[in-house]
Amino acid sequence: MNLHLPSPRAIERRGLRLQAMLATRTEGNLYFKLNLGATRQGVVSRPDALVRFQDLQFGEIVDCWVSAWSTGGNIVFLERLEATTPIPEPPEPIVGKCDRWRRRQRGY
């Protein structure tokens, strides 16, 4: 699961496709194992996203995409990947000061 990612930090990319295994369900959240180290976990917490995961049972693996991540990088927020789900295109990288990649400002 997720062997295509070279390191745990590689998950910090909006729109990245990955697999997640349902580990814990609480009232308002779902927690997933990602096979990217002991400290990284996937979370689904938005009510409209939780509806898309309601048929999932413990231990099942589902295809997802990364919608956001915490500043510490240990929590990755997930959306379910379905045929009708629009996946945002990754931002176009540009080389900026000190050869760092930055998001292009799109005026919104």
Side-chain angles (χ1 to χ4, degrees), residues 12-70:
E12 295 175 4
R13 209 173 80 212
R14 184 175 162 90
L16 177 73
R17 296 177 184 198
L18 53 88
Q19 291 185 319
M21 184 183 76
L22 181 60
T24 305
R25 183 186 308 257
T26 64
E27 264 185 48
N29 298 321
L30 298 175
Y31 295 93
F32 293 85
K33 293 286 187 183
L34 302 173
N35 197 27
L36 293 170
T39 61
R40 303 237 178 210
Q41 64 180 341
V43 175
V44 175
S45 59
R46 293 183 316 110
D48 57 327
L50 286 167
V51 170
R52 294 188 198 107
F53 289 91
Q54 67 186 11
D55 64 330
L56 203 60
Q57 300 297 317
F58 293 108
E60 287 185 344
I61 295 175
V62 64
D63 292 324
C64 301
W65 59 275
V66 175
S67 62
W69 54 89
S70 66

